[in-house]
Amino acid sequence: MAYIEIQDIAKWYDYKAPTLIGQLKGGKKYIKAVDGINLSIDKGDILGIIGESGCGKSTLGRMLVRLEDPTRGDVLVDGVSTNDLLRKDRKSFRRTVQIIFQNPFDTFTPRDTIRQILQRTLRIHAIGADEAARDKLIHEALEGSGLVPVEDIVNRYPHELSGGQLQRISITRAMLLDPSIVIADEPVSMLDVSVRADIINLLIHLSQTRGTTLVFISHDIALTRYTCDVVAVMYLGRVVEYGLTDEVISNPQHPYTKVLISNCTSIDPEDKQDPIPIEGEPPTPLDPGAGCYFAPRCPYAVDACFKKYPDKQVISDSHYAVCDRINAIQEES
């Protein structure tokens, strides 16, 4: 059994029509942000989750740390439900599973210094015998994250630091608890390009040296390829392709993955492939219809694609895609 098992997890939100007439006539409706995902993650692996904005990536990440309760399904860690772990010992669960958010400027209490923020984290979880011992842990952690001189950093307030520095502190605060699992939700999307590589390298280093399992949520395919061992491509709340990162990116099978990669010019500077055109907006998660959710935008769609949701097609032992036209597309190409 894999270390993390995501079992048919879904998150549906109640939908209320904007008008009273719509509410009376429409009946009960749901926004299906995540709609039945099954994934396995081995201990120490880095899983990338990629897709357009609104595909459900962040909602999935929040369910993994139980900031959102799933409508159905479950997440198991080492064979135990995260819901059971949370109910049994909330603090222990929060130490085991940590999340790093997209916007570092919204992560910290503005009235406290960095030292006070990190001291509070350690004190809540009873780490360190006293204040001096906790200061020593903080000093070592900040230094290991490249935040020097430490004496200057710890006495500053969040608004006195850059976005890159704050995100390093977010990572440091998470790793002070020695978590087994870290969810990184678009951790560099709001940072300058000049500091992104440093943050990504820090995450990879911490994962490799501590054996931490990392879920890396991003819309950036190039970053995902550099960072992740395996990748899941999401579209409208579902995983449409999954496999080893290099295999998926070098040999994409789902039309949506092909479109994403063809429109990413930063994967291989020598690759001069033409972008695959894509038109229209994704269908609403309120009522995506019976067929393939990507069919209305897919350049390879035929009538059958609009009638039923496609089956999973196994490409190799470590690679699958959810599309009934994979063989036909290859013959047409």
Side-chain angles (χ1 to χ4, degrees), residues 2 10 42 71 81 95-96 99 110 132 158 164 203 254 256 263 267 271 310:
D42 291 330
T71 305
S81 166
R95 285 185 64 171
T96 300
I99 186 167
L203 282 170
H254 194 280
Y256 178 61
N263 284 276
I267 289 179
D271 187 0

Side-chain angles (χ1 to χ4, degrees), residues 64 66 74-77 80-87 93:
L64 295 180
R66 287 284 172 171
D74 203 356
V75 179
L76 307 184
V77 175
V80 183
S81 166
T82 52
N83 190 46
D84 292 342
L85 291 170
L86 187 62
R87 285 189 299 183
F93 178 76

Side-chain angles (χ1 to χ4, degrees), residues 17 25 28 44 49 56 103 106 114 120 135 151 187 199 232 261 306:
K25 289 185 176 180
K28 192 74 169 176
I49 300 176
N103 188 351
D106 290 341
I114 300 306
R120 182 183 302 111
D135 274 341
E151 292 76 11
I199 300 299
I261 292 172
F306 294 87

